[in-house]
């Protein structure tokens, strides 16, 4: 089988490519140039896609004895990931750019080019597993990336390979060292790859500009502070609200609502963050088949969040596939723009991804 291995320059993708070679596949390595002005060096674990990363990927491919190329996807990445990320924050949402990158770049634009060139599969260093075409959590729960892969549809999963999902991260590093890969001890990338400074608010502010608004108490309507734009806030945020005086009851305040039209950011107590139901649009059912009715499941609404028991029901919103997710118990801090990823509720199959949607609306517990 001809396999295109996406090589980021890190240890995970290098070992994934090595395992594909060892499995007897005809492997070609490719590094995606996603920045129009890549830096020469990374800053520790900050960012990615630097020229250093491309060189590290090339050296790994040399060790594996496979052809290697750098493909320029910078314009597509800017349009489909960065611009979408900025627009979502300007609209008061909290997007996850890794989901967009997987959906529109790696497993769409890249996979389509790979297919046109005669490749049968795309291998990546994601921590997830595929079994009989089903997406499942990785063995290493701390590194599991099934949440950011749940946006892939049945056909995309059918052409994907995740060679390292059955192995804990420490063993991946050991394997890389045994194979003579120089990236064996390279730090993992953290934060958002296109914001190497780690300062998301500054990044957004430089692109959105100043859009003044007010921070308002949800119970009294009292104006508590001014702000420069709703892009600086997300549901559940506690710090950086610009509020000088504590609440009357002495309890912390959290962002409970964001209205981009008026620029109003509403704050309240922790209990005001509880939601009992949510609507998710752009629904994808991983099996490729939409259920006939309600599905018992567990739902995860943040990349590193926990699971909550729920019932998901297929619906339509504006004529498009969506899902209503009713929670068995209130869930706190659910933001529009995040992904709601469904997992099987059966304990024996709890690592199985059932579907995914983008959160468009929520129902508060005290509404």
């Amino acid at each position: 089988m001809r396999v295109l291995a996406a090589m980021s320059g890190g240890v995970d993708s290098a070992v994934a490519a090595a395992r594909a070679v060892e499995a007897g596949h005809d492997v070609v390595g490719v590094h995606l140039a996603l920045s129009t002005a890549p830096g020469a060096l990374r800053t520790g674990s900050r960012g990615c896609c630097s020229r250093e990363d491309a060189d590290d990927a090339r050296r790994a491919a040399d060790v594996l004895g496979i052809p290697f190329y750098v493909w320029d996807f910078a314009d597509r990445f800017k349009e489909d990931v960065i611009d979408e990320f900025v627009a979502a924050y300007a609209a008061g949402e909290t997007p996850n750019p890794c989901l967009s990158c997987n959906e529109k770049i790696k497993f769409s634009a890249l996979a389509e080019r790979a297919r046109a060139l005669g490749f049968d599969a795309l291998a990546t260093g994601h921590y997830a597993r595929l079994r009989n075409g089903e997406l499942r959590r990785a063995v290493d729960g701390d590194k599991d990336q099934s949440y950011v892969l749940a946006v892939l549809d049945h056909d995309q999963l059918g052409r994907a390979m995740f060679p390292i999902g059955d192995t804990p991260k420490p063993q991946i590093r050991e394997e890389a060292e045994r194979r003579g890969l120089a990236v064996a001890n390279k730090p993992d990338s953290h934060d958002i790859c296109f914001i190497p400074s780690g300062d998301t608010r500054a990044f957004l502010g430089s692109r959105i500009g100043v859009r003044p608004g007010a921070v308002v108490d949800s119970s009294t309507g009292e104006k508590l502070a001014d702000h420069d734009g709703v892009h600086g806030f997300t549901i559940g945020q506690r710090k950086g609200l610009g509020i000088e005086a504590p609440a009357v009851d002495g309890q912390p305040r959290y962002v409970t609502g964001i209205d981009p039209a008026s620029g109003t950011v509403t704050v309240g107590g922790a209990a005001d963050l509880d939601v009992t139901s949510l609507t998710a649009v752009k629904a994808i059912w991983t099996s490729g088949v939409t259920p006939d009715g309600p599905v018992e499941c567990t739902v995860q609404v943040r990349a590193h969040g926990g699971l909550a028991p729920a019932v998901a029901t297929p619906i339509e919103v504006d004529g498009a596939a969506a899902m209503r997710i009713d929670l068995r118990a209130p869930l706190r801090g659910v933001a529009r723009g995040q992904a709601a990823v469904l997992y099987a509720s059966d304990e024996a199959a709890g690592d199985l991804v059932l579907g995914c949607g983008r959160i468009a609306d929520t129902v508060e517990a005290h509404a």
Side-chain angles (χ1 to χ4, degrees):
M1 186 162 64
R2 294 196 70 208
V3 174
L4 185 68
M7 302 181 70
S8 67
V11 62
D12 299 327
S13 60
V15 172
R19 289 186 172 187
V21 171
E22 191 172 61
H25 300 303
D26 178 11
V27 181
V28 173
V30 63
H31 178 80
L32 302 188
L34 300 178
S35 173
T36 54
L41 301 173
R42 304 170 91 234
T43 305
S45 61
R46 295 284 190 184
C48 68
C49 311
S50 67
R51 288 192 289 272
E52 176 190 359
D53 292 310
D55 290 343
D56 286 344
R58 185 181 300 277
R59 281 189 287 268
D62 288 344
V63 170
L64 300 177
I66 61 174
F68 177 82
Y69 301 92
V70 175
W71 289 355
D72 186 355
F73 279 84
D75 290 340
R76 182 75 181 264
F77 185 77
K78 178 183 181 301
E79 179 180 346
D80 288 346
V81 179
I82 299 177
D83 290 351
E84 181 182 281
F85 176 82
V86 173
Y89 263 102
E93 298 182 345
T94 305
N96 185 317
C98 293
L99 282 147
S100 298
C101 184
N102 286 331
E103 177 190 10
K104 298 181 178 181
I105 304 299
K106 291 177 182 173
F107 295 92
S108 181
L110 174 60
E112 287 169 7
R113 183 182 294 186
R115 193 174 188 182
L117 292 172
F119 289 94
D120 303 298
L122 172 66
T124 71
H126 285 100
Y127 281 85
R129 291 178 296 154
L130 285 169
R131 185 187 303 166
N132 300 322
E134 297 176 331
L135 179 63
R136 295 177 177 269
R137 288 190 182 276
V139 167
D140 190 333
D142 292 334
K143 290 295 181 180
D144 173 59
Q145 292 173 295
S146 61
Y147 177 86
V148 295
L149 293 168
V151 72
L152 305 183
D153 62 30
H154 186 68
D155 290 339
Q156 289 172 319
L157 290 172
R159 298 190 295 272
M161 292 175 60
F162 306 128
I164 66 170
D166 61 353
T167 309
K169 180 63 177 263
Q171 293 180 27
I172 293 296
R173 290 197 180 278
E174 292 172 3
E175 181 176 334
E177 192 148 8
R178 290 197 307 272
R179 292 180 181 274
L181 297 170
V183 292
N185 295 306
K186 184 175 180 178
D188 292 337
S189 294
H190 296 295
D191 300 311
I192 298 170
C193 71
F194 53 85
I195 310 180
S197 69
D199 191 340
T200 301
R201 180 177 285 194
F203 173 86
L204 292 168
S206 68
R207 285 155 177 79
I208 297 173
V210 176
R211 298 168 63 190
V215 178
V216 176
D217 186 281
S218 62
S219 59
T220 66
E222 177 188 1
K223 178 181 174 181
L224 303 173
D226 295 305
H227 66 75
D228 292 334
V230 297
H231 58 267
F233 302 89
T234 186
I235 298 296
Q237 179 178 330
R238 176 182 173 184
K239 298 181 179 179
L241 305 182
I243 302 172
E244 296 182 1
V248 175
D249 60 6
Q251 296 301 308
R253 290 188 177 101
Y254 302 85
V255 174
T256 58
I258 300 172
D259 183 353
S262 66
T264 301
V265 175
T266 306
V267 297
D272 296 325
L273 294 170
D274 289 343
V275 301
T276 57
S277 178
L278 56 94
T279 300
V281 297
K282 295 185 177 180
I284 291 174
W285 296 94
T286 311
S287 67
V289 178
T290 301
D292 294 331
V295 176
E296 288 283 349
C297 61
T298 57
V299 62
Q300 182 175 337
V301 299
R302 288 180 291 278
H304 303 291
L307 292 170
V311 178
T313 304
I315 61 172
E316 287 190 356
V317 174
D318 297 329
M323 57 178 72
R324 188 185 73 245
I325 303 171
D326 297 306
L327 300 158
R328 293 298 190 188
L331 188 60
R332 184 160 291 179
V334 182
R336 292 188 303 113
Q338 292 175 325
V341 176
L342 310 180
Y343 292 85
S345 58
D346 181 358
E347 185 175 348
D351 60 354
L352 174 64
V353 176
L354 300 179
C356 174
R358 182 176 61 81
I359 300 170
D361 195 18
T362 61
V363 176
E364 296 178 7
H366 305 290

Short mmCIF file of all heavy atoms in Angstrom, two decimals, residues 183-234:
data_model
loop_
_atom_site.label_atom_id
_atom_site.label_comp_id
_atom_site.label_asym_id
_atom_site.label_seq_id
_atom_site.Cartn_x
_atom_site.Cartn_y
_atom_site.Cartn_z
N VAL A 183 14.92 13.26 16.86
CA VAL A 183 13.82 13.97 17.52
C VAL A 183 13.29 13.22 18.75
O VAL A 183 12.29 13.63 19.33
CB VAL A 183 12.65 14.20 16.53
CG1 VAL A 183 13.06 15.20 15.46
CG2 VAL A 183 12.18 12.89 15.92
N ALA A 184 13.98 12.17 19.16
CA ALA A 184 13.49 11.33 20.25
C ALA A 184 13.15 12.14 21.51
O ALA A 184 12.18 11.84 22.20
CB ALA A 184 14.52 10.25 20.58
N ASN A 185 13.94 13.15 21.81
CA ASN A 185 13.72 13.93 23.03
C ASN A 185 13.29 15.37 22.74
O ASN A 185 13.38 16.24 23.61
CB ASN A 185 14.98 13.93 23.88
CG ASN A 185 15.32 12.54 24.38
OD1 ASN A 185 14.48 11.87 24.99
ND2 ASN A 185 16.53 12.07 24.10
N LYS A 186 12.81 15.61 21.54
CA LYS A 186 12.36 16.95 21.18
C LYS A 186 11.08 17.28 21.97
O LYS A 186 10.18 16.45 22.07
CB LYS A 186 12.07 17.01 19.68
CG LYS A 186 11.68 18.39 19.16
CD LYS A 186 11.53 18.37 17.65
CE LYS A 186 11.16 19.73 17.11
NZ LYS A 186 11.07 19.74 15.63
N PRO A 187 10.99 18.48 22.54
CA PRO A 187 9.79 18.84 23.32
C PRO A 187 8.52 18.79 22.47
O PRO A 187 8.55 19.09 21.28
CB PRO A 187 10.07 20.27 23.78
CG PRO A 187 11.55 20.43 23.69
CD PRO A 187 11.98 19.57 22.55
N ASP A 188 7.41 18.41 23.11
CA ASP A 188 6.13 18.44 22.42
C ASP A 188 5.70 19.88 22.19
O ASP A 188 6.05 20.78 22.96
CB ASP A 188 5.05 17.75 23.27
CG ASP A 188 5.28 16.25 23.38
OD1 ASP A 188 5.96 15.69 22.50
OD2 ASP A 188 4.78 15.65 24.36
N SER A 189 4.92 20.09 21.13
CA SER A 189 4.36 21.41 20.88
C SER A 189 3.16 21.63 21.79
O SER A 189 2.35 20.73 21.99
CB SER A 189 3.92 21.54 19.42
OG SER A 189 5.04 21.49 18.57
N HIS A 190 3.05 22.83 22.32
CA HIS A 190 1.91 23.19 23.15
C HIS A 190 1.29 24.48 22.63
O HIS A 190 1.87 25.15 21.78
CB HIS A 190 2.33 23.38 24.61
CG HIS A 190 2.85 22.13 25.26
ND1 HIS A 190 2.05 21.03 25.48
CD2 HIS A 190 4.08 21.79 25.70
CE1 HIS A 190 2.76 20.07 26.05
NE2 HIS A 190 4.01 20.51 26.19
N ASP A 191 0.14 24.81 23.16
CA ASP A 191 -0.57 26.01 22.76
C ASP A 191 -0.97 25.92 21.29
O ASP A 191 -0.95 24.87 20.68
CB ASP A 191 0.28 27.26 23.04
CG ASP A 191 0.62 27.39 24.52
OD1 ASP A 191 -0.29 27.28 25.35
OD2 ASP A 191 1.81 27.59 24.83
N ILE A 192 -1.31 27.05 20.70
CA ILE A 192 -1.79 27.09 19.32
C ILE A 192 -0.59 27.30 18.41
O ILE A 192 0.19 28.24 18.59
CB ILE A 192 -2.82 28.22 19.16
CG1 ILE A 192 -4.03 27.95 20.07
CG2 ILE A 192 -3.27 28.35 17.71
CD1 ILE A 192 -4.99 29.10 20.17
N CYS A 193 -0.45 26.44 17.40
CA CYS A 193 0.78 26.42 16.62
C CYS A 193 1.08 27.73 15.93
O CYS A 193 2.24 28.09 15.74
CB CYS A 193 0.75 25.27 15.60
SG CYS A 193 -0.41 25.51 14.24
N PHE A 194 0.04 28.49 15.52
CA PHE A 194 0.30 29.74 14.82
C PHE A 194 0.36 30.95 15.76
O PHE A 194 0.40 32.10 15.30
CB PHE A 194 -0.74 29.96 13.71
CG PHE A 194 -2.18 29.88 14.15
CD1 PHE A 194 -2.83 30.96 14.69
CD2 PHE A 194 -2.88 28.68 14.01
CE1 PHE A 194 -4.15 30.88 15.09
CE2 PHE A 194 -4.21 28.58 14.39
CZ PHE A 194 -4.84 29.68 14.94
N ILE A 195 0.34 30.68 17.07
CA ILE A 195 0.54 31.76 18.05
C ILE A 195 1.71 31.34 18.96
O ILE A 195 1.51 30.96 20.12
CB ILE A 195 -0.73 32.03 18.89
CG1 ILE A 195 -1.94 32.19 17.98
CG2 ILE A 195 -0.55 33.28 19.75
CD1 ILE A 195 -3.25 32.45 18.73
N PRO A 196 2.94 31.37 18.45
CA PRO A 196 4.08 30.89 19.23
C PRO A 196 4.33 31.66 20.51
O PRO A 196 4.93 31.14 21.45
CB PRO A 196 5.26 31.02 18.26
CG PRO A 196 4.81 31.99 17.22
CD PRO A 196 3.33 31.80 17.09
N SER A 197 3.84 32.90 20.59
CA SER A 197 4.02 33.68 21.82
C SER A 197 3.15 33.14 22.95
O SER A 197 3.43 33.39 24.12
CB SER A 197 3.67 35.15 21.57
OG SER A 197 2.26 35.29 21.34
N GLY A 198 2.08 32.42 22.59
CA GLY A 198 1.14 31.93 23.60
C GLY A 198 0.13 32.96 24.05
O GLY A 198 -0.77 32.66 24.83
N ASP A 199 0.23 34.20 23.53
CA ASP A 199 -0.67 35.28 23.93
C ASP A 199 -1.81 35.39 22.92
O ASP A 199 -1.76 36.17 21.96
CB ASP A 199 0.10 36.60 24.00
CG ASP A 199 -0.70 37.71 24.67
OD1 ASP A 199 -1.95 37.59 24.73
OD2 ASP A 199 -0.09 38.70 25.11
N THR A 200 -2.86 34.59 23.14
CA THR A 200 -3.97 34.55 22.20
C THR A 200 -4.70 35.89 22.13
O THR A 200 -5.10 36.35 21.05
CB THR A 200 -4.96 33.44 22.60
OG1 THR A 200 -4.27 32.19 22.60
CG2 THR A 200 -6.13 33.36 21.63
N ARG A 201 -4.88 36.54 23.27
CA ARG A 201 -5.61 37.81 23.29
C ARG A 201 -4.89 38.86 22.45
O ARG A 201 -5.53 39.58 21.67
CB ARG A 201 -5.79 38.30 24.72
CG ARG A 201 -6.55 39.62 24.81
CD ARG A 201 -6.78 40.07 26.24
NE ARG A 201 -7.82 39.29 26.90
CZ ARG A 201 -8.39 39.66 28.05
NH1 ARG A 201 -8.00 40.79 28.65
NH2 ARG A 201 -9.32 38.91 28.60
N ALA A 202 -3.57 38.93 22.56
CA ALA A 202 -2.81 39.91 21.78
C ALA A 202 -2.88 39.58 20.29
O ALA A 202 -3.00 40.47 19.44
CB ALA A 202 -1.36 39.94 22.25
N PHE A 203 -2.79 38.28 19.97
CA PHE A 203 -2.87 37.85 18.57
C PHE A 203 -4.21 38.27 17.97
O PHE A 203 -4.27 38.84 16.87
CB PHE A 203 -2.71 36.34 18.49
CG PHE A 203 -2.93 35.76 17.13
CD1 PHE A 203 -1.89 35.69 16.21
CD2 PHE A 203 -4.17 35.26 16.76
CE1 PHE A 203 -2.10 35.16 14.94
CE2 PHE A 203 -4.39 34.72 15.51
CZ PHE A 203 -3.35 34.67 14.60
N LEU A 204 -5.30 38.00 18.68
CA LEU A 204 -6.62 38.35 18.19
C LEU A 204 -6.80 39.86 18.11
O LEU A 204 -7.36 40.39 17.13
CB LEU A 204 -7.69 37.74 19.09
CG LEU A 204 -7.80 36.22 19.07
CD1 LEU A 204 -8.68 35.73 20.21
CD2 LEU A 204 -8.35 35.73 17.73
N GLY A 205 -6.32 40.56 19.11
CA GLY A 205 -6.46 42.01 19.13
C GLY A 205 -5.77 42.68 17.95
O GLY A 205 -6.26 43.67 17.40
N SER A 206 -4.63 42.12 17.53
CA SER A 206 -3.90 42.71 16.41
C SER A 206 -4.64 42.53 15.09
O SER A 206 -4.39 43.26 14.12
CB SER A 206 -2.50 42.08 16.31
OG SER A 206 -2.59 40.71 15.91
N ARG A 207 -5.55 41.56 15.03
CA ARG A 207 -6.30 41.29 13.81
C ARG A 207 -7.73 41.82 13.85
O ARG A 207 -8.29 42.18 12.82
CB ARG A 207 -6.30 39.78 13.54
CG ARG A 207 -4.94 39.32 13.01
CD ARG A 207 -4.68 37.85 13.30
NE ARG A 207 -3.41 37.46 12.70
CZ ARG A 207 -2.22 37.72 13.25
NH1 ARG A 207 -2.14 38.39 14.39
NH2 ARG A 207 -1.11 37.34 12.65
N ILE A 208 -8.32 41.86 15.02
CA ILE A 208 -9.70 42.32 15.14
C ILE A 208 -9.77 43.81 15.46
O ILE A 208 -10.68 44.51 15.02
CB ILE A 208 -10.44 41.49 16.22
CG1 ILE A 208 -10.50 40.01 15.81
CG2 ILE A 208 -11.83 42.03 16.45
CD1 ILE A 208 -11.05 39.10 16.88
N GLY A 209 -8.80 44.28 16.23
CA GLY A 209 -8.80 45.68 16.63
C GLY A 209 -9.63 45.92 17.88
O GLY A 209 -10.15 44.99 18.50
N VAL A 210 -9.77 47.17 18.23
CA VAL A 210 -10.51 47.55 19.43
C VAL A 210 -12.00 47.62 19.12
O VAL A 210 -12.42 48.32 18.19
CB VAL A 210 -10.03 48.90 19.98
CG1 VAL A 210 -10.87 49.33 21.18
CG2 VAL A 210 -8.55 48.82 20.36
N ARG A 211 -12.79 46.88 19.87
CA ARG A 211 -14.25 46.90 19.73
C ARG A 211 -14.82 47.03 21.14
O ARG A 211 -15.17 46.04 21.77
CB ARG A 211 -14.74 45.63 19.05
CG ARG A 211 -14.21 45.47 17.63
CD ARG A 211 -14.48 44.07 17.09
NE ARG A 211 -15.90 43.79 16.99
CZ ARG A 211 -16.39 42.58 16.73
NH1 ARG A 211 -15.58 41.55 16.55
NH2 ARG A 211 -17.69 42.39 16.64
N PRO A 212 -14.89 48.25 21.68
CA PRO A 212 -15.25 48.48 23.08
C PRO A 212 -16.61 47.90 23.45
O PRO A 212 -17.53 47.84 22.64
CB PRO A 212 -15.25 50.00 23.21
CG PRO A 212 -14.41 50.49 22.08
CD PRO A 212 -14.65 49.52 20.96
N GLY A 213 -16.69 47.48 24.69
CA GLY A 213 -17.94 46.97 25.22
C GLY A 213 -17.92 47.01 26.73
O GLY A 213 -16.97 47.53 27.33
N ALA A 214 -18.95 46.45 27.35
CA ALA A 214 -19.08 46.50 28.80
C ALA A 214 -19.12 45.11 29.40
O ALA A 214 -19.64 44.17 28.79
CB ALA A 214 -20.33 47.27 29.20
N VAL A 215 -18.58 44.99 30.61
CA VAL A 215 -18.72 43.78 31.41
C VAL A 215 -19.85 44.06 32.40
O VAL A 215 -19.80 45.03 33.16
CB VAL A 215 -17.41 43.46 32.17
CG1 VAL A 215 -17.61 42.22 33.05
CG2 VAL A 215 -16.26 43.24 31.19
N VAL A 216 -20.89 43.21 32.37
CA VAL A 216 -22.12 43.48 33.10
C VAL A 216 -22.45 42.32 34.04
O VAL A 216 -22.29 41.16 33.68
CB VAL A 216 -23.28 43.71 32.11
CG1 VAL A 216 -24.60 43.88 32.85
CG2 VAL A 216 -22.99 44.91 31.24
N ASP A 217 -22.95 42.66 35.23
CA ASP A 217 -23.38 41.64 36.18
C ASP A 217 -24.70 41.03 35.70
O ASP A 217 -25.65 41.75 35.38
CB ASP A 217 -23.57 42.28 37.56
CG ASP A 217 -23.89 41.26 38.63
OD1 ASP A 217 -25.04 40.81 38.71
OD2 ASP A 217 -22.97 40.89 39.39
N SER A 218 -24.75 39.69 35.65
CA SER A 218 -25.93 39.01 35.10
C SER A 218 -27.17 39.18 35.96
O SER A 218 -28.29 39.16 35.45
CB SER A 218 -25.63 37.52 34.93
OG SER A 218 -25.35 36.92 36.18
N SER A 219 -27.02 39.33 37.26
CA SER A 219 -28.18 39.40 38.16
C SER A 219 -28.70 40.82 38.34
O SER A 219 -29.92 41.02 38.49
CB SER A 219 -27.84 38.79 39.53
OG SER A 219 -26.75 39.49 40.11
N THR A 220 -27.83 41.81 38.31
CA THR A 220 -28.26 43.19 38.57
C THR A 220 -28.25 44.08 37.34
O THR A 220 -28.88 45.14 37.33
CB THR A 220 -27.35 43.83 39.63
OG1 THR A 220 -26.02 43.97 39.08
CG2 THR A 220 -27.30 42.99 40.89
N GLY A 221 -27.54 43.65 36.30
CA GLY A 221 -27.41 44.49 35.12
C GLY A 221 -26.42 45.61 35.29
O GLY A 221 -26.25 46.46 34.40
N GLU A 222 -25.74 45.65 36.43
CA GLU A 222 -24.78 46.71 36.72
C GLU A 222 -23.54 46.57 35.82
O GLU A 222 -23.01 45.49 35.65
CB GLU A 222 -24.36 46.65 38.19
CG GLU A 222 -23.31 47.68 38.57
CD GLU A 222 -22.77 47.47 39.97
OE1 GLU A 222 -23.21 46.50 40.64
OE2 GLU A 222 -21.89 48.24 40.39
N LYS A 223 -23.11 47.70 35.29
CA LYS A 223 -21.87 47.72 34.51
C LYS A 223 -20.69 47.68 35.48
O LYS A 223 -20.58 48.51 36.38
CB LYS A 223 -21.81 48.98 33.65
CG LYS A 223 -20.52 49.10 32.85
CD LYS A 223 -20.51 50.38 32.03
CE LYS A 223 -19.17 50.59 31.34
NZ LYS A 223 -19.13 51.85 30.55
N LEU A 224 -19.81 46.70 35.28
CA LEU A 224 -18.70 46.49 36.20
C LEU A 224 -17.36 46.93 35.64
O LEU A 224 -16.43 47.25 36.39
CB LEU A 224 -18.61 45.01 36.58
CG LEU A 224 -19.87 44.40 37.21
CD1 LEU A 224 -19.69 42.90 37.38
CD2 LEU A 224 -20.15 45.07 38.56
N ALA A 225 -17.24 46.95 34.32
CA ALA A 225 -15.98 47.31 33.70
C ALA A 225 -16.17 47.53 32.21
O ALA A 225 -17.22 47.18 31.63
CB ALA A 225 -14.93 46.21 33.93
N ASP A 226 -15.17 48.13 31.57
CA ASP A 226 -15.12 48.27 30.11
C ASP A 226 -14.10 47.28 29.57
O ASP A 226 -13.19 46.85 30.27
CB ASP A 226 -14.70 49.69 29.73
CG ASP A 226 -15.74 50.74 30.15
OD1 ASP A 226 -16.91 50.58 29.77
OD2 ASP A 226 -15.35 51.69 30.86
N HIS A 227 -14.26 46.93 28.30
CA HIS A 227 -13.28 46.04 27.67
C HIS A 227 -13.05 46.48 26.23
O HIS A 227 -13.80 47.31 25.68
CB HIS A 227 -13.75 44.58 27.73
CG HIS A 227 -14.97 44.29 26.93
ND1 HIS A 227 -14.96 44.19 25.55
CD2 HIS A 227 -16.27 44.09 27.29
CE1 HIS A 227 -16.17 43.92 25.11
NE2 HIS A 227 -16.99 43.87 26.14
N ASP A 228 -12.02 45.93 25.59
CA ASP A 228 -11.64 46.32 24.23
C ASP A 228 -12.17 45.39 23.15
O ASP A 228 -11.91 45.60 21.96
CB ASP A 228 -10.10 46.38 24.11
CG ASP A 228 -9.50 47.51 24.93
OD1 ASP A 228 -10.22 48.51 25.16
OD2 ASP A 228 -8.33 47.40 25.34
N GLY A 229 -12.88 44.36 23.55
CA GLY A 229 -13.41 43.45 22.53
C GLY A 229 -13.80 42.11 23.12
O GLY A 229 -13.12 41.59 24.02
N VAL A 230 -14.88 41.51 22.62
CA VAL A 230 -15.35 40.23 23.14
C VAL A 230 -14.37 39.10 22.84
O VAL A 230 -14.44 38.03 23.46
CB VAL A 230 -16.74 39.86 22.59
CG1 VAL A 230 -17.78 40.88 23.01
CG2 VAL A 230 -16.71 39.72 21.07
N HIS A 231 -13.44 39.33 21.90
CA HIS A 231 -12.46 38.29 21.58
C HIS A 231 -11.55 37.97 22.75
O HIS A 231 -10.85 36.96 22.73
CB HIS A 231 -11.61 38.72 20.38
CG HIS A 231 -10.86 40.01 20.60
ND1 HIS A 231 -11.37 41.24 20.24
CD2 HIS A 231 -9.66 40.26 21.17
CE1 HIS A 231 -10.50 42.18 20.57
NE2 HIS A 231 -9.45 41.62 21.14
N GLY A 232 -11.55 38.82 23.78
CA GLY A 232 -10.69 38.58 24.93
C GLY A 232 -11.34 37.71 25.99
O GLY A 232 -10.75 37.52 27.07
N PHE A 233 -12.52 37.15 25.69
CA PHE A 233 -13.26 36.41 26.70
C PHE A 233 -13.77 35.07 26.17
O PHE A 233 -14.00 34.91 24.97
CB PHE A 233 -14.45 37.24 27.19
CG PHE A 233 -14.07 38.57 27.76
CD1 PHE A 233 -13.97 39.69 26.93
CD2 PHE A 233 -13.77 38.71 29.10
CE1 PHE A 233 -13.60 40.92 27.45
CE2 PHE A 233 -13.40 39.94 29.63
CZ PHE A 233 -13.30 41.05 28.80
N THR A 234 -13.97 34.15 27.09
CA THR A 234 -14.60 32.87 26.76
C THR A 234 -15.47 32.44 27.93
O THR A 234 -15.22 32.85 29.09
CB THR A 234 -13.54 31.80 26.45
OG1 THR A 234 -14.19 30.61 26.00
CG2 THR A 234 -12.71 31.46 27.69
#
